[in-house]
Amino acid sequence: MPYPCNDPIVAFDTWSSRNVVLNICGNEAFFNLCVLKGKSGVFTSVCYLFEKYNLEVLFANVSSNVFGSTYMIQVQVNQSYANQLLENGVGVGEIFKQVAQELVLYFSSS
């Protein structure tokens, strides 16, 4: 059964790279992050980035093994910020994609 969107006419959108997969549905998104062992402070850095873009964490799950960690994080855009974005002609999907691009840079930096 698919995850229900807040708006039934909103379609899913997916963006992916080597370590980051982003699934968007309306004002919500799922970030799936794969990180090799040895990178410290990942969750703190990700949460800082979400705060920078006015994203609220709804759910987070972290799994790890001897090779690395996998993060699955559901976020939504703060409603007042989403309204401000729409007034400026910017869609929330663009914000999610900008966050994903910054995450890719963060994971490739070490």
Side-chain angles (χ1 to χ4, degrees):
M1 174 144 320
Y3 178 78
C5 291
N6 292 336
D7 185 345
I9 62 171
V10 174
F12 280 100
D13 191 13
T14 301
W15 182 93
S16 65
S17 73
R18 183 174 175 200
N19 297 79
V20 179
V21 176
L22 167 63
N23 293 296
I24 303 170
C25 182
N27 286 348
E28 294 184 7
F30 290 89
F31 286 87
N32 296 290
L33 315 170
C34 296
V35 185
L36 293 175
K37 280 282 191 218
K39 185 121 176 122
S40 61
V42 171
F43 194 69
T44 302
S45 298
V46 170
C47 288
Y48 171 79
L49 186 60
F50 289 159
E51 185 175 339
K52 174 182 166 183
Y53 283 95
N54 291 296
L55 302 180
E56 300 170 351
V57 175
L58 302 175
F59 170 83
N61 183 31
V62 180
S63 301
S64 63
N65 60 29
V66 296
F67 303 109
S69 299
T70 301
Y71 299 80
M72 182 176 173
I73 307 168
Q74 179 184 4
V75 298
Q76 71 179 5
V77 175
N78 177 302
Q79 189 58 47
S80 61
Y81 185 61
N83 293 337
Q84 180 183 352
L85 289 171
L86 291 174
E87 289 174 6
N88 294 330
V90 178
V92 294
E94 295 170 32
I95 296 301
F96 293 137
K97 289 176 186 176
Q98 179 64 41
V99 171
Q101 289 173 346
E102 287 196 35
L103 287 170
V104 168
L105 290 174
Y106 170 72
F107 292 132
S108 65
S109 66
S110 62

